[in-house]
Amino acid sequence: QVQLVESGGGLVQAGGSLRLSCAASGLTLSNYNMGWVRQAPGKEREFVAAINRSGGSAYSADSVKGRFTASRDNAKNTLYLQMNSLKPEDTAVYYCAATRSSYFRNLREYEYWGQGTQVTVSS
C-alpha cells in the first residue's frame, strides 16, 4: 500500500521559514516525479513546486519562485519543500504527490497523494 506522509507544517510569522517533509512508503520514490500542491481555504488546489526523478531539476510556481525549493533524498524515500520568506498568502494545506508523468504542473497527472500538513503564516 502506497503512503505519502507529510510533516513539518505549523504556525510561523511572516518572513519566517519552514521545511516540509514527505516520507514515502510502498513505492520506490526514484521512479516518480514528485510535486507539492497547496490548497488555501475556499480555493482550489494549486501547483507549488516539483522535482524530477533524479532530483537534478526542480520547478516552482511563479507565486513562490525564489522562495520555495523542492528537493529529495531517494535513498531515504523522502521529499522536502524548503519555504523561505513566508507570506500570509502562503497559508494553506500542503500536499505532496507522486506522478510518473512529465506534466507535473497538471494536478490530474498525480497518482498518489498525502493527507496534507497545515501551514499558517501570521502577519
Side-chain angles (χ1 to χ4, degrees), residues 16-108:
S17 297
L18 282 175
R19 187 170 92 149
L20 305 183
S21 298
C22 171
S25 60
L27 58 74
T28 302
L29 201 67
S30 58
N31 291 338
Y32 292 83
N33 294 317
M34 298 297 295
W36 288 98
V37 174
R38 68 185 181 186
Q39 186 168 23
K43 295 187 176 181
E44 294 185 351
R45 289 189 181 185
E46 64 171 348
F47 169 79
V48 175
I51 188 165
N52 70 345
R53 291 176 180 81
S54 68
S57 296
Y59 310 86
S60 58
D62 289 343
S63 58
V64 304
K65 199 175 295 289
R67 300 188 298 121
F68 291 12
T69 304
S71 62
R72 64 195 295 163
D73 186 335
N74 286 339
K76 294 183 177 179
N77 246 25
T78 303
L79 173 74
Y80 305 99
L81 182 67
Q82 180 66 44
M83 305 187 295
N84 299 327
S85 302
L86 282 159
K87 304 176 180 179
E89 52 263 43
D90 295 319
T91 294
V93 177
Y94 284 73
Y95 302 87
C96 66
T99 179
R100 283 173 284 194
S101 168
S102 297
Y103 299 100
F104 42 77
R105 293 180 187 269
N106 185 343
L107 304 189
R108 288 173 290 185

